[in-house]
Each structure stands twice: as structure tokens, then as C-alpha cells.
Amino acid sequence: MNLRKILTYVEDIHAEGGRPVGPVARTAVVLAVIENPWAGQGFVTDLLPGIDEVAPQLGELLAPRVVEALGAPVEAYGKAAVVGLDGEVEHGSALIHTLKFGDHFRKAANATTLLPAVEKRAVAGGVFDIPLKHITDATVRSHHQSIEVRVPDGPRADEIVIGLAAAAQGRPQARLAPLATEQ
């Protein structure tokens, strides 16, 4: 894996809807900007060798960092892959939609649900939203949220931005009834 840089964002929301949030609502994101392992190779039919090499390294690198940045037990989580213009969305999907990547985060967060994801192709500096859901029950509405992030100089055309996001709580001031009330 050719890593160019790692970015860490922490957002603390102190007020929402004109009211204080207590405790403060914290969300953390860790992003790795890497060289696309399939860049310059034309259409690659078998992505597995690149997946086997890169995905576990990314999961091992990012999962503990996002949990540490959050500084609290993880209640909601998500992932992202943003591919530079010379790559395919499939390249990002290949790295994040494998247990070799995701299980590192599940273990670090004591999670059991699927990790929600965003995958897209974008120019450097493109904005993307990472969706988050509850770590053990994806039907918990209060934890359905997203966080907007960007890498000012990435992904370059031959790069991929891979990210993990974690929240210590649901949305600030969440007040929707449980999904079970509609069934």
C-alpha cells in the first residue's frame, strides 16, 4: 500500500435546534489517501490480489485511529471510498466491501451490523457524506446520520480516499419514534 497521508477530523456539536446538546455530540472521521493499486493497468479483471494486499492494511490502520479520535465508545459507524478520476468506483468498493477491511472496525467498535458506505468517483477536494448507522441495530433511527468531509488535495486522479467515521451517539436532539411504532 502506498500511503500519501492520513487526515483526522473530530466534530463536537454543542447546540442544535437552538438548544444545548448534552453531552456534546462527537463524531470522528479518519481518512487515508492511498495510491490506487490498480492505477495505470487498464481494466483489471481480477481485483482479488490488490484486495488481499491493501484492504487488511487499511482496516488495521484506520479502525484504531477513528476509535481513538472519538475518545468514547462507538455507537454509530460508517465507511467511504472516493476514487480519483483515473480509477473506477469498483476499485474503492473492492477495498471497503470486504471483511478483510470491515472486520477491523467491527471488532474495534464491538459492532455486529453491516457498515453503511458511500462510494464515488470525484476530483480532488470533492465533498462526500459518510453515512452512519447504529453498531448493533441498524433500525435504531436516532443513529441514522451522516458527516460531510473532504480532502482538499485528494483524491488525485490515481488515488483513492478510504475513510471510517464513528459517532459516540445518535443525532443531536433526535426525537423520532422507534421504527417498531410503524409496524
Side-chain angles (χ1 to χ4, degrees), residues 80-163:
V82 181
V83 181
L85 295 182
D86 287 348
E88 301 172 40
V89 171
E90 188 71 3
H91 296 162
S93 296
L95 295 176
I96 67 171
H97 291 301
T98 173
L99 297 176
K100 295 169 185 173
F101 174 76
D103 273 355
H104 289 278
F105 198 11
R106 274 186 210 85
K107 289 175 186 166
N110 296 313
T112 57
T113 58
L114 291 174
L115 272 156
V118 62
E119 312 95 302
K120 66 184 274 185
R121 184 181 298 125
V123 297
V127 174
F128 55 99
D129 292 346
I130 303 177
L132 293 97
K133 294 197 186 275
H134 194 277
I135 62 168
T136 60
D137 184 351
T139 68
V140 176
R141 287 182 177 177
S142 60
H143 288 59
H144 292 193
Q145 56 189 314
S146 61
I147 184 163
E148 182 179 284
V149 292
R150 67 185 280 272
V151 177
D153 65 345
R156 294 176 181 161
D158 64 345
E159 292 179 332
I160 303 176
V161 173
I162 301 292

Side-chain angles (χ1 to χ4, degrees), residues 3 6 8 28 30 60-70:
L3 175 69
I6 297 173
T8 302
V30 175
E60 189 176 328
L61 174 70
L62 298 178
R65 285 177 182 257
V66 73
V67 172
E68 181 182 346
L70 188 63

